[in-house]
Amino acid sequence: MKLEVVSNSVMETRSFASKFARKMKNGTVIALIGGLGSGKTTFTQGFAEGLGINQHIGSPTFKLVSEYLGIKYKLYHADCYRLKNFNDFLNFGGENLLIPIDGVTIIEWADIIKEILPEHTIIINFDRAKENLNHRVLKIQNYNELK
């Protein structure tokens, strides 16, 4: 099943992500794909709020992975922007993020490691709306994994 969501603002993206997070099951992997400034980190911030995480969520570009403790689950937030390919991801132990036994994993720039993403990964593509560059279109694949 696919779902398409149009967000008209940063707050709408965060609100949608917060509600989306409340539907997550332990062990879920979410792949975020989109260009710079397309809303991936904003989505992750809202998602963290939905898991009951009150810490500041920034992009883990330089440290590659951040871990946060939520009310029900941990959130593992990875960023593949600085990686060349999936081997770089595996070299720092990234395979553990693909089978999170005690939480949910969100991976920004996941297209870089697409060859090794688990079959049931929820994939979210972020695009700027053509008619208004401040709006975002989120195309969600494998949404049925939440049901």
Side-chain angles (χ1 to χ4, degrees):
M1 183 168 122
K2 292 184 181 182
L3 174 68
E4 188 169 296
V5 174
V6 176
S7 174
N8 298 307
S9 68
V10 168
M11 291 312 298
E12 278 187 25
T13 300
R14 285 179 73 135
S15 177
F16 169 75
S18 179
K19 292 173 190 165
F20 191 74
R22 293 182 201 123
K23 298 177 183 178
M24 285 303 113
K25 297 177 188 171
N26 188 46
T28 301
V29 176
I30 302 170
L32 306 183
I33 300 171
L36 286 170
S38 62
K40 298 179 301 295
T41 301
T42 297
F43 178 91
T44 303
Q45 291 166 340
F47 191 92
E49 289 171 9
L51 293 180
I53 297 168
N54 296 319
Q55 295 171 268
H56 170 73
I57 307 295
S59 181
T61 300
F62 292 101
K63 64 181 194 174
L64 302 176
V65 179
S66 295
E67 180 180 325
Y68 305 96
L69 184 59
I71 293 172
K72 282 174 67 174
Y73 308 124
K74 288 182 181 177
L75 172 63
Y76 299 97
H77 181 201
D79 190 320
C80 296
Y81 180 73
R82 299 181 65 78
L83 305 181
K84 293 179 185 145
N85 55 43
F86 69 86
N87 285 318
D88 286 353
F89 185 79
L90 296 174
N91 284 338
F92 75 79
E95 65 273 6
N96 296 320
L97 299 172
L98 301 177
I99 48 168
I101 57 171
D102 60 349
V104 175
T105 298
I106 287 184
I107 304 170
E108 294 191 37
W109 297 94
D111 49 318
I112 293 170
I113 62 163
K114 64 182 176 262
E115 300 93 343
I116 61 170
L117 290 173
E119 180 182 353
H120 300 291
T121 299
I122 296 171
I123 299 169
I124 306 177
N125 286 283
F126 291 75
D127 292 308
R128 294 180 193 271
K130 292 178 179 84
E131 64 280 351
N132 185 330
L133 295 181
N134 291 319
H135 296 186
R136 302 292 187 264
V137 178
L138 286 63
K139 295 177 183 168
I140 304 167
Q141 300 171 37
N142 291 335
Y143 182 67
N144 56 323
E145 297 302 320
L146 299 177
K147 301 199 184 239

